Amino acid sequence: MRYGFFDDSRREYVITRPDTPLPWINYLGNKSYFGLVSNTAGGYSFYRDARLRRLTRYRYNNVPTDTGGRYIYVRDDGPPPAAGEYWSPTWQPARRPLETYSCRHGLGYTAIGSTYLGIEAQTRYFVPLGENLEVWQLIVTNHRENVARLSVFSCVEFCLWDAWDDATNFQRNFSIGEVEVDANDDSPGVIYHKSEYRERRNHFAFFACSEPLAGFDTQREDFLGPYGSWDSPAAVARGCSFNSVAHGWAPIGSHHVRLELQPGETRQIIFVLGYHENPDEEKFDPPGSQQIDKRTVRPIIDRYLDAGNVEAAFAALRAYWDELLGVFQVETPDIHTSRMVNIWNAYQCMVTFNLSRSASFFESGIGRGMGFRDSNQDLLGFVHMVPERARERILDLAATQLESGGAYHQYQPLTKRGNDAVGGGFNDDPLWLILAVGAYLKETGDWSILDEPVPYDNRPGSEQPLYDHLERSLRYTLDRLGPHGLPLIGRADWNDCLNLNTFSSTPGESFQTADTKDGTTAESVFIAGLFVLAAKELAGIARWRGSPQEADRFEVEAAKMESVVCQHGWDGDWFLRAYDDRSHKVGSRECAEGQIFVEPQGICVMAGIGLDAGLDGSQPSAKKALASVGEQLATAHGIVLLQPAYTRYYLHLGEISSYPPGYKENAGIFCHTNPWIMIAEAIVGDGDRAHDYYLRINPSAREKIGDLHRCEPYVYAQMIAGSDAPTHGEAKNSWLTGTAAWNYVAITQWILGIRPTFDGLEIAPIVPNDWPGFEATRIFRGVTYRISVDRVGRGNSVALLVDGSPIEGHLVPLPPLGQTEVMVNVALGRAGD
Ligand code: GLC
Ligand code: GLC
């Protein structure tokens, strides 16, 4: 069954029934104020940090699902027969049988509308650019033949800021809730949430309404009634607020507005929910009182209670996204490719860049901040959109690096300080920084970033140029080689769950933070491949920067590691995964289970290992490794992580064997790894296979199997259940996954083949043989490249015409200063083949 459809011209996904298999969500906000919103208005908001500055409450994993949100109730105030009926125009939480329903998720906004009892109500939620607030525009229309007398109630439940504390520390929290209410006749009603403002916080939340209030509530228990629930609040049922003022317990914000609508009449009500900080010395007005000083916040509130200003802000948001997406647009013969590249994949890359793995409907916003490896990879799919923000992110990440070259596994977005909360000593972490910086340099040509002074561990006085951080990243691996000369794995490499040093037998213990073996034996072939890739990248950077000797040195290190992989990292038909704590092979035909893993096949081929080898099996062969992936790991729903799945728990392998077969890292289709294989297939020149793998996990292509897939058809999920699982094909953990960035890189740079390099834009498409061609527009370093690819025969050879003149090779040189447009005609394949 389908639950909606793509409206490509408006860049929206339209959901046509509220009871989707899971909440299908969207994100509001781009920079500091964020919200999650589901297709039935569930979700919450936060400022910068989903744990430390949460504005509103959400109840993860609750019953019914998706509890807590941006709620609006409409009540019929009479006359009979509808008198006293009430409903939620977003379906939740009242869940009445709406006559019409649609939810349009767009880029940075969501509009949910419905009709019930002849009353149409549409709410559009968005965060204006550059503001720390969200606007809800509610438009109510009376389609009845007579006058409608209605009550509208809004409601949010405030979170007491630290979401972890909020969910655990009730002995304190039930006593600290405080609000202020401005509800005079002559000014719009504003509810302020100011718990802890009296002491160390200088920030508060506000929730304002554009219309005169009939009443308000700020105490949850009053609004809901004793033992009441969100689907039948007492205030809504009786048609009148209680004007409650919260002292402790659970502060909420609810406005009550009465409307009288003539037949055909439409009215707009605007609600504004936001976050504001006052300087410490201007917290109170009058000074010495405990009342919030509202002089700086009121003008902001008033601006967004004005319909004209709101429309202008919405138009600016649309224009912003048009511009961002305009950096790369394509027209291909395949709708799923075009749609994901042009709209949704790029959009998801913005969200993963902003939030790493912190806050989705599957990441609670409490456990994880910005991951070091995650954020470096997320940047790969984002850097072309807002390079300045990518630059800032690189410097933030590098500032958390340790002097050893190692890295904290994550940092907290609010403080930008590294922490070990989800473990440390993941030995792959530092290498990703080199790939991120390489991508930034290729996109922008901004070599000055390498000279930026960046501290270690945020310690003032420890600053070194960013370039020094990159060198230490490589050295970190070289300082930690194991018995075969392969990199030691540490806590884990990219695969958090392959814990070769953990040996955990204590129930509930975290595999990522448990005490480890001394870690001097277990080695990772994956890190070896990643090292070769990163060392070659750094060599490229060094050469471009004018340090040829250093470049040579990095190339020598890459070659040495490559030969170690050839000697000890090849299993005959595929790359080995690792050596365990006893130096036994992992990911080998010698193993009872887990004989082949996808990660080393992808990363080693991307690093160029085995590209020239024959097929006799004595030396690594990229083609052979990829053929093994095709035979043993590829399924109709994507490529599984390993085979055969682990059927029992192995103490020496750790969390990977804790999952039932087919889920997550234990032979799930861990989507993040799939684009590595697409890229590898493109590198060996197989465009048919690369694109076939691309389509298997492409969410838009999976829309038609929505009942199986279950997650949103417009974004990638972290995982699709593998062939060993009873629910093979079911996606899980949508939105926050490295899959977004890597798929974007795979399709745009390797399959469509439009690839930034240090020297200019390279164009080398590896597309399916039955594609007649495609068109692309790419803005690169301020120049618009209009690229037109025509297939003249089979294969991947290209002949380029740049502004009408033939050039040698694949690389379009940067045009002379002042030229802002370049036309590139690509003849693809060899005529007659
Ligand atoms: C999660 C983590 C990521 C890790 C992957 C594989 O997505 O965020 O860092 O590489 O799992 O374990
Ligand atoms: C669990 C998950 C893995 C994730 C890790 C992060 O191990 O299975 O995917 O990367 O937690 O802490």
Side-chain angles (χ1 to χ4, degrees):
M1 175 186 317
R2 286 184 197 240
Y3 294 85
F5 60 92
F6 286 92
D7 185 344
D8 292 327
S9 65
R10 292 173 58 154
R11 294 178 169 151
E12 291 174 340
Y13 190 81
V14 187
I15 300 166
T16 49
R17 48 183 297 167
D19 55 342
T20 43
L22 294 163
W24 283 4
I25 74 159
N26 193 15
Y27 285 83
L28 311 176
N30 265 348
K31 215 161 168 195
S32 47
Y33 183 100
F34 295 102
L36 287 70
V37 60
S38 74
N39 56 309
T40 59
Y44 62 94
S45 300
F46 57 94
Y47 172 73
R48 286 192 191 278
D49 193 308
R51 168 165 177 187
L52 297 176
R53 285 281 195 283
R54 199 176 291 200
L55 265 80
T56 58
R57 276 196 183 137
Y58 185 74
R59 290 182 175 74
Y60 278 94
N61 195 14
N62 208 300
V63 175
T65 193
D66 195 14
T67 300
R70 299 173 180 79
Y71 292 150
I72 286 173
Y73 302 86
V74 179
R75 180 181 188 277
D76 198 310
D77 287 343
E85 293 247 23
Y86 61 89
W87 67 98
S88 307
T90 55
W91 193 57
Q92 282 260 62
R95 292 188 303 282
R96 297 284 188 270
L98 301 172
E99 288 143 22
T100 67
Y101 161 90
S102 79
C103 165
R104 288 182 170 266
H105 283 317
L107 308 183
Y109 67 91
T110 285
I112 309 174
S114 64
T115 313
Y116 191 62
L117 304 177
I119 303 297
E120 184 186 340
Q122 268 271 3
T123 317
R124 187 164 72 187
Y125 303 96
F126 73 102
V127 174
L129 294 171
E131 300 287 5
N132 292 323
L133 56 84
E134 63 189 65
V135 176
W136 312 1
Q137 277 177 285
L138 169 66
I139 294 175
V140 187
T141 305
N142 177 14
H143 291 296
R144 297 176 183 170
E145 276 160 15
N146 26 43
V147 177
R149 286 199 285 120
L150 305 172
S151 274
V152 170
F153 296 85
S154 64
C155 195
V156 294
E157 185 180 4
F158 292 112
C159 180
L160 306 180
W161 303 116
D162 180 333
W164 167 257
D165 193 71
D166 183 74
T168 49
N169 192 9
F170 304 109
Q171 59 80 25
R172 170 175 164 86
N173 291 344
F174 285 163
S175 292
I176 64 168
E178 287 191 293
V179 296
E180 265 176 51
V181 183
D182 282 352
N184 311 326
D185 286 347
D186 50 347
S187 71
V190 188
I191 293 164
Y192 297 88
H193 171 232
K194 59 166 192 177
S195 297
E196 294 189 340
Y197 189 73
R198 62 169 54 246
E199 26 117 354
R200 292 154 296 173
R201 296 186 187 274
N202 67 344
H203 50 87
F204 56 88
F206 54 87
F207 188 32
C209 173
S210 62
E211 304 307 298
L213 299 190
F216 62 86
D217 274 298
T218 66
Q219 183 62 278
R220 189 183 73 202
E221 196 182 341
D222 291 283
F223 180 71
L224 296 181
Y227 293 85
S229 127
W230 296 111
D231 60 8
S232 52
V236 179
R238 74 170 195 164
C240 187
S241 294
F242 294 91
N243 295 346
S244 59
V245 176
H247 301 286
W249 299 111
I252 60 163
S254 173
H255 308 96
H256 176 198
V257 174
R258 287 194 205 279
L259 291 181
E260 192 172 293
L261 295 182
Q262 299 305 312
E265 191 183 347
T266 292
R267 284 272 286 283
Q268 172 161 209
I269 306 177
I270 299 168
F271 299 96
V272 181
L273 171 68
Y275 170 91
H276 193 71
E277 287 175 4
N278 272 339
D280 280 341
E281 53 296 348
E282 284 166 30
K283 277 173 67 170
F284 302 108
D285 180 27
S289 77
Q290 290 294 305
Q291 295 227 93
I292 299 174
D293 185 332
K294 303 181 182 114
R295 283 173 302 169
T296 53
V297 75
R298 263 331 281 238
I300 300 172
I301 293 173
D302 291 340
R303 189 175 328 139
Y304 288 101
L305 290 178
D306 176 86
N309 292 339
V310 167
E311 283 307 324
F314 185 71
L317 178 68
R318 294 279 282 190
Y320 175 75
W321 271 107
D322 285 346
E323 193 186 321
L324 285 189
L325 297 182
V327 177
F328 201 154
Q329 287 289 298
V330 296
E331 215 176 295
T332 75
D334 175 57
I335 180 65
H336 306 299
T337 304
S338 304
R339 171 186 286 154
M340 290 306 292
V341 169
N342 291 340
I343 308 170
W344 294 99
N345 194 358
Y347 182 58
Q348 189 178 2
C349 286
M350 167 69 89
V351 173
T352 56
F353 176 85
N354 284 335
L355 299 175
S356 188
R357 308 296 169 267
S358 65
S360 71
F361 273 29
F362 309 93
E363 301 280 8
S364 65
I366 289 176
R368 300 215 264 170
M370 310 296 285
F372 192 90
R373 81 157 82 86
D374 293 333
S375 289
N376 277 306
Q377 292 172 83
D378 293 341
L379 192 138
L380 305 177
F382 170 83
V383 59
H384 67 291
M385 284 195 278
V386 196
E388 314 78 67
R389 290 191 66 202
R391 187 182 211 272
E392 183 189 351
R393 177 63 48 77
I394 286 171
L395 299 177
D396 287 347
L397 284 162
T400 68
Q401 198 177 12
L402 305 170
E403 303 212 9
S404 64
Y408 287 108
H409 201 44
Q410 67 164 15
Y411 74 86
Q412 209 57 37
L414 193 70
T415 60
K416 296 191 174 178
R417 292 293 186 274
N419 67 62
D420 273 334
V422 290
F426 294 81
N427 282 353
D428 64 313
D429 270 340
L431 293 170
W432 299 106
L433 180 66
I434 298 175
L435 299 191
V437 172
Y440 174 79
L441 292 171
K442 289 172 187 166
E443 182 65 37
T444 61
D446 168 22
W447 293 86
S448 74
I449 193 174
L450 295 175
D451 302 319
E452 284 285 341
V454 185
Y456 286 98
D457 201 3
N458 281 297
R459 239 179 353 88
S462 65
E463 290 82 2
Q464 292 291 330
L466 177 65
Y467 184 77
D468 183 70
H469 286 250
L470 304 184
E471 283 192 279
R472 289 198 205 189
S473 293
L474 274 196
R475 213 176 313 141
Y476 180 84
T477 303
L478 295 175
D479 288 346
R480 287 165 183 74
L481 299 178
H484 297 91
L486 289 162
L488 292 170
I489 197 167
R491 188 78 70 178
D493 60 24
W494 171 87
N495 190 330
D496 278 335
C497 299
L498 185 60
N499 315 119
L500 302 182
N501 289 306
T502 301
F503 289 77
S504 173
S505 54
T506 306
E509 182 173 69
S510 159
F511 288 96
Q512 276 82 37
T513 56
D515 276 342
T516 59
K517 295 259 170 178
D518 67 1
T520 54
T521 307
E523 301 165 288
S524 163
V525 176
F526 176 82
I527 299 183
L530 180 61
F531 177 87
V532 174
L533 185 64
K536 288 180 178 173
E537 187 80 348
L538 193 55
I541 293 172
R543 204 169 295 289
W544 230 95
R545 196 170 176 252
S547 316
Q549 276 118 358
E550 280 176 26
D552 291 346
R553 189 157 57 77
F554 301 142
E555 269 163 13
V556 168
E557 296 298 353
K560 278 206 275 189
M561 187 65 79
E562 197 166 330
S563 74
V564 177
V565 172
C566 292
Q567 230 184 318
H568 299 294
W570 180 247
D571 200 50
D573 285 310
W574 55 78
F575 292 95
L576 279 176
R577 181 62 179 83
Y579 287 91
D580 68 18
D581 181 58
R582 297 162 304 169
S583 263
H584 292 178
K585 293 175 181 171
V586 179
S588 159
R589 64 178 69 252
E590 290 170 16
C591 306
E593 301 185 317
Q595 294 177 343
I596 171 172
F597 281 65
V598 70
E599 307 100 298
Q601 322 312 324
I603 207 81
C604 290
V605 179
M606 284 161 70
I609 304 175
L611 289 183
D612 320 311
L615 289 172
D616 69 350
S618 61
Q619 284 292 305
S621 152
K623 287 215 161 124
K624 200 157 194 173
L626 292 173
S628 300
V629 169
E631 284 153 23
Q632 313 225 20
L633 301 178
T635 77
H637 297 291
I639 304 165
V640 300
L641 194 143
L642 64 90
Q643 277 294 294
Y646 295 111
T647 55
R648 61 182 185 85
Y649 178 55
Y650 294 88
L651 191 65
H652 67 288
L653 298 177
E655 186 167 359
I656 195 165
S657 59
S658 75
Y659 288 112
Y663 293 106
K664 297 277 283 180
E665 282 88 339
N666 187 13
I669 296 157
F670 212 93
C671 297
H672 188 139
T673 62
N674 281 221
W676 296 342
I677 300 299
M678 298 167 205
I679 295 171
E681 288 288 2
I683 288 173
V684 302
D686 197 330
D688 286 320
R689 272 219 182 200
H691 193 258
D692 177 11
Y693 287 147
Y694 172 75
L695 279 185
R696 294 186 201 195
I697 63 166
N698 179 304
S700 163
R702 298 176 64 78
E703 187 192 23
K704 57 181 183 298
I705 52 165
D707 281 325
L708 176 62
H709 184 76
R710 301 187 82 229
C711 281
E712 296 93 328
Y714 41 91
V715 288
Y716 288 97
Q718 181 201 56
M719 201 257 317
I720 297 174
S723 40
D724 299 283
T727 60
H728 183 36
E730 179 190 22
K732 228 178 246 174
N733 304 352
S734 59
W735 280 98
L736 299 185
T737 160
T739 311
W742 277 110
N743 264 288
Y744 193 80
V745 170
I747 187 68
T748 61
Q749 299 190 20
W750 295 94
I751 299 177
L752 300 175
I754 300 172
R755 190 158 56 237
T757 73
F758 298 127
D759 309 292
L761 205 57
E762 187 172 345
I763 303 183
I766 313 283
V767 295
N769 272 299
D770 64 5
W771 276 24
F774 66 92
E775 311 277 320
T777 304
R778 175 69 154 91
I779 301 175
F780 175 67
R781 303 200 196 173
V783 177
T784 303
Y785 292 79
R786 298 197 193 284
I787 303 160
S788 176
V789 179
D790 286 297
R791 187 177 279 296
V792 295
R794 290 180 67 79
N796 306 314
S797 64
V798 297
L800 298 188
L801 284 183
V802 177
D803 287 329
S805 314
I807 60 157
E808 285 287 320
H810 295 160
L811 186 75
V812 184
L814 293 168
L817 218 65
Q819 184 179 339
T820 56
E821 274 212 27
V822 173
M823 296 287 302
V824 187
N825 292 88
V826 183
L828 180 62
R830 225 178 302 274
D833 277 7

